[in-house]
Amino acid sequence: MNRIERPGASEGGVSLSRISELAETEAEIFRRARPKSAAALGNGMAGFFGGVPMHWMNDWPTPFPILVDKANGATITDIDGNRLADFCLGDTGSMFGHSPAPVARAIRRQASRGLTYMLPSEDSLKLGLLLAERFGLPHWQIATTATDANRFALRVARAVTGRDKILVFNGCYHGAVDETMVRLKDGKPVNRPGLAGEFRDLTARTRIVEFNDLPALEAALAHGDVACVITEPVLTNSCMVLPEPGFLEGMRKLTRKAGTLLLIDETHTISTGPGGYTKKHGLEPDLFVLGKPVAGGVPASVWGMSEEVAARYANYNRTKQPGYSGMGTTLSANPLQFAAMRAALEEVMTEENYAHMEKLAERLASGLDKAIHKYKLPWHVMRVGARVEFICAPGPLRNGGEAETAHASRLEAAVHVAMVNRGVLIAPFHNMMLVSPGTTARQVDRLVAAFDDIAATLSA
């Protein structure tokens, strides 16, 4: 049944009626191409709440989730035999490709030696040195997710500063640390909508300002009660927002002046290079977090501390009341993580692989940009290293507030399904695309051609 749209209504510069036509056409094409998947998933998966193992599997805009048979390199094959050039790559979890050969070998080797035993392995002897060398901070700990790593790092920040508040930028950062689930509404901080079972006012312990606004940051820090600023160097948990010239340097100066620690989360921006955005741009965080891709797809994360923070934390531990710190999970720092991370850092996250990723990401961004201008769409393209995004609004965007208004949810959903039907998978959130070491020029050109075809249809 066709949705009745208000005459003249549009989203992202495209009429809602045209978007609805594309969405309905592409949804039917998707269904016809996947009879086995439809039979298995059309009514949900038995035994799982909501019909899926994890609720966000229902957030994909396809009529039903793609049921994967196998994935290798930058290609996914579903149970119906459809092959997709994968630019989602597990929403960064497989940034370096599916099952990189060195990581797969490390997993097989460790599998015969035990998967977890709450003790270090030989790989861990090398891993600590690799992390310090690669990312610049001297003291490290292992966790299982970036959310866990950030949560633990923020506990350290509060412990060593004696302060209870943290500061986030509107639009937040990736992950699910409770205190960051806030936003600005009409200039005032509020809990983000949709939080399940949240009974607290999260703004009581969080300050929130817009990204790229140094005066607002300075005013928020002037209270003297902020333990830590937690941020990505580029906002990626929204439509992508790059830092304006001088912003990150100004943030570092202001946090030092206020006695506030700075936590940089590079889980997404590790796309910039082997040492992340931090190393490439000479940032000097007190705390550093890297999750998802650091172990080549094995659940793992790391968080590091500067020499000064480590010394202050060691002193805090000597004087604090005995008892459980509330930090750490039993399966964290297991030998499978050590083996996979060592292989990823030594053999996968290499200068050579990053050069390949950078070259093809530039090819991708250029191709998308040409199509946008060709069809005179009011959109723009952003890139941070191997991470590319097209945004269905004029740009560049300056902060999280602008990024929120730039979303074109119906348009983006229709484009996503149309991409799948043309053999390309992009992330279901924010039109994000990643280039991996296994991505080929042919796959990039296929994505650009698909995008051009869809843009032509929308603008006809």
Side-chain angles (χ1 to χ4, degrees):
M1 184 176 186
N2 291 333
R3 179 186 296 167
I4 298 176
E5 306 290 0
R6 179 169 55 87
S10 65
E11 190 177 76
V14 181
S15 70
L16 293 183
S17 60
R18 180 63 57 85
I19 295 170
S20 294
E21 289 173 10
L22 179 68
E24 291 171 12
T25 299
E26 298 297 339
E28 181 57 30
I29 294 171
F30 179 91
R31 292 188 186 96
R32 288 201 306 265
R34 291 168 176 81
K36 292 181 181 178
S37 296
L41 295 176
N43 295 314
M45 300 173 69
F48 291 111
F49 176 76
V52 288
M54 184 68 179
H55 63 85
W56 42 245
M57 291 180 179
N58 281 327
D59 292 341
W60 290 79
T62 49
F64 45 82
I66 294 169
L67 192 55
V68 177
D69 175 44
K70 59 183 177 181
N72 185 263
T75 301
I76 277 181
T77 305
D78 67 20
I79 64 168
D80 290 280
N82 298 295
R83 287 167 56 87
L84 298 172
D86 187 10
F87 289 85
C88 174
L89 295 172
D91 192 27
T92 306
S94 293
M95 179 185 290
F96 303 103
H98 296 289
S99 300
V103 175
R105 287 194 297 269
I107 291 171
R108 287 194 295 269
R109 174 175 55 83
Q110 188 58 48
S112 64
R113 302 180 179 187
L115 299 178
T116 187
Y117 27 74
M118 212 172 168
L119 290 165
S121 67
E122 284 191 282
D123 284 321
S124 64
L125 298 174
K126 181 66 174 176
L127 181 59
L129 298 174
L130 283 170
L131 291 169
E133 179 184 359
R134 177 67 62 93
F135 302 113
L137 278 73
H139 299 279
W140 292 86
Q141 290 281 273
I142 308 298
T144 300
T145 69
T147 294
D148 283 341
N150 279 304
R151 188 179 293 120
F152 303 154
L154 289 176
R155 279 184 173 270
V156 170
R158 284 174 163 142
V160 304
T161 62
R163 301 175 178 182
D164 63 353
K165 288 185 171 62
I166 67 165
L167 185 144
V168 299
F169 294 106
N170 192 31
C172 291
Y173 81 112
H174 98 280
V177 173
D178 287 351
E179 302 99 303
T180 69
M181 297 291 108
V182 295
R183 57 169 286 191
L184 287 176
K185 183 177 182 180
D186 299 325
K188 296 181 179 180
V190 297
N191 281 14
R192 289 175 68 176
L195 297 178
E198 183 52 67
F199 59 94
R200 298 163 294 176
D201 176 9
L202 298 174
T203 66
R205 291 293 177 268
T206 304
R207 296 193 182 279
I208 179 169
V209 300
E210 290 285 12
F211 198 67
N212 281 322
D213 191 340
L214 287 175
L217 176 60
E218 184 172 23
L221 295 178
H223 296 274
D225 57 0
V226 175
C228 186
V229 171
I230 176 173
T231 187
E232 297 176 286
V234 174
L235 291 190
T236 66
N237 203 41
S238 58
C239 295
M240 191 185 294
V241 180
L242 294 178
E244 294 180 343
F247 174 71
L248 296 179
E249 295 82 357
M251 176 177 65
R252 179 66 281 192
K253 290 178 182 177
L254 289 175
T255 50
R256 283 182 172 142
K257 178 181 177 182
T260 296
L261 301 183
L262 175 61
L263 188 161
I264 297 290
D265 183 320
E266 290 257 22
T267 299
H268 286 173
T269 54
I270 193 65
S271 60
T272 309
Y277 203 93
T278 293
K279 193 164 189 177
K280 184 170 183 176
H281 294 276
L283 309 184
E284 298 177 350
D286 302 295
L287 298 155
F288 180 101
V289 167
L290 174 58
K292 289 189 245 190
V294 69
V298 171
S301 64
V302 297
W303 57 283
M305 295 174 277
S306 68
E307 193 68 64
E308 179 186 357
V309 171
R312 292 170 69 182
Y313 186 47
N315 184 62
Y316 170 85
N317 282 329
R318 284 191 293 268
T319 59
K320 81 175 183 71
Q321 184 178 2
Y324 176 47
S325 67
M327 296 164 55
T329 54
T330 305
L331 292 178
S332 294
N334 66 65
L336 185 63
Q337 291 176 323
F338 298 148
M341 277 191 279
R342 179 180 177 182
L345 288 167
E346 286 185 333
E347 301 180 68
V348 180
M349 298 169 66
T350 63
E351 293 282 0
E352 181 181 8
N353 278 341
Y354 268 102
H356 170 85
M357 294 157 66
E358 179 87 13
K359 180 180 179 181
L360 289 187
E362 173 58 33
R363 181 178 182 136
L364 172 58
S366 177
L368 297 177
D369 191 61
K370 287 179 181 177
I372 288 170
H373 284 85
K374 177 180 177 181
Y375 298 106
K376 298 181 173 59
L377 291 166
W379 304 356
H380 70 286
V381 177
M382 299 300 289
R383 181 170 76 90
V384 55
R387 189 182 189 92
V388 180
E389 185 175 325
F390 66 88
I391 299 167
C392 301
L397 306 173
R398 186 170 186 266
N399 54 46
E402 291 183 7
E404 184 176 1
T405 61
H407 277 302
S409 56
R410 281 190 278 188
L411 174 58
E412 292 166 4
V415 170
H416 179 97
V417 181
M419 285 279 205
V420 170
N421 290 337
R422 289 158 178 78
V424 177
L425 186 68
I426 66 173
F429 317 112
H430 321 307
N431 309 319
M432 187 275 296
M433 296 152 283
L434 284 166
V435 173
S436 78
T439 303
T440 66
R442 180 175 293 181
Q443 288 178 313
V444 169
D445 293 343
R446 183 173 190 175
L447 193 161
V448 171
F451 183 83
D452 186 283
D453 186 47
I454 296 163
T457 300
L458 290 171
S459 61

